[in-house]
Amino acid sequence: MAYPIAYQLYSSRNFPPLHAQFPLLKSLGYDAIEPWLPAYESDPALLRRQIDDAGLACFGFHMPLKGLVAEPDRFIEIAQTLGATYMIPPFVPKEERIDTADYWQGIGEQLAQGAERAARRGLKVAWHNHDFEYVPLADGSRPIDHIFGAGDEVLFEIDCGWITRAGADPAAELELYADRIIAIQTKDMAPLGTTIDDGWAATGDGIIDWAALVPYFRKTRADHIVAEHDNPSDWQRFAKRSIDHIRSLGL
């Protein structure tokens, strides 16, 4: 099976206008874009037309957790406008985090409540990880496990790059949460000590052994892959190199 491949627009935030990138992304073989706030905030309907005009789709989009809690109807409407299935909160600001099991259980409960509300409108909620969810708490447990322990409704967009940067094993996490994973981000990490591009790399140019992870990809319920780089100096090179490598793996 060849997975549809989306491009996370956050990768190109420093190279506006974003919609001007869509035709090139399509020509490189991308099937969709994955926007983040504020890319869609001012005019979701305009962004949808630009996506459609380029022959692309939007499978999911990143949104604030606070939006899911305090403004769920607003973001559900945005999802429907964009034609997205997945509403994806990706972050808790450092100043808000509390390193206790109860706190992270509470985050999971907020996500689960949002997922229940979204489900009534035919939508799904997925969490997107960074590295902090893999830092053990004082009792040895991990935030990521508390987040997903709060309910089966919350799905997972797994970011292999952040897992690697946290010192965890992407293969183990792909296996552990195979039944929740609906999207796989193939973010790659440059060798330790690299400072250029904030230590990230195009997919296939970093330290992650993607070929070894492919069998684990296949065991998940993922229905698409997402290419992302948090700070590329050349977004076009990143976009081309990443999709070429992903396709070379038979994905």
Side-chain angles (χ1 to χ4, degrees), residues 57-132:
C58 175
F59 304 137
F61 64 100
H62 284 194
M63 58 170 289
L65 176 59
K66 285 184 177 179
L68 187 68
V69 174
E71 300 179 280
D73 291 338
R74 175 187 170 217
F75 283 93
I76 285 170
E77 185 174 322
I78 289 171
Q80 293 175 325
T81 299
L82 295 177
T85 299
Y86 302 110
M87 302 167 64
I88 310 172
F91 196 63
V92 178
K94 186 174 182 179
E95 61 273 14
E96 296 179 15
R97 298 175 210 155
I98 301 173
D99 292 332
T100 65
D102 286 346
Y103 171 79
W104 291 107
Q105 176 80 14
I107 295 296
E109 290 169 356
Q110 291 178 347
L111 290 164
Q113 290 166 7
E116 289 176 2
R117 188 158 189 163
R120 294 197 288 269
R121 306 282 287 275
L123 301 171
K124 300 175 182 178
V125 169
W127 180 252
H128 168 91
N129 68 280
H130 282 73
D131 55 350
F132 54 83

Side-chain angles (χ1 to χ4, degrees), residues 19 32-33 35 37 45 48 57 68 77 84 88 90 128 192 208 211 240:
H19 71 272
I33 54 97
L37 196 71
R48 173 63 185 272
L68 187 68
E77 185 174 322
I88 310 172
H128 168 91
L192 288 173
I208 296 178
K240 184 177 190 320

Side-chain angles (χ1 to χ4, degrees), residues 6-77:
Y7 180 88
Q8 169 52 256
L9 283 182
Y10 183 78
S11 309
S12 296
R13 68 193 180 283
N14 295 323
F15 305 94
L18 294 175
H19 71 272
Q21 302 170 9
F22 294 177
L24 177 60
L25 291 170
K26 178 67 175 180
S27 72
L28 292 175
Y30 285 94
D31 301 287
I33 54 97
E34 183 179 81
W36 92 107
L37 196 71
Y40 52 81
E41 188 170 33
S42 63
D43 195 338
L46 173 60
L47 179 61
R48 173 63 185 272
R49 290 196 297 273
Q50 293 166 339
I51 293 169
D52 289 347
D53 288 348
L56 296 168
C58 175
F59 304 137
F61 64 100
H62 284 194
M63 58 170 289
L65 176 59
K66 285 184 177 179
L68 187 68
V69 174
E71 300 179 280
D73 291 338
R74 175 187 170 217
F75 283 93
I76 285 170
E77 185 174 322

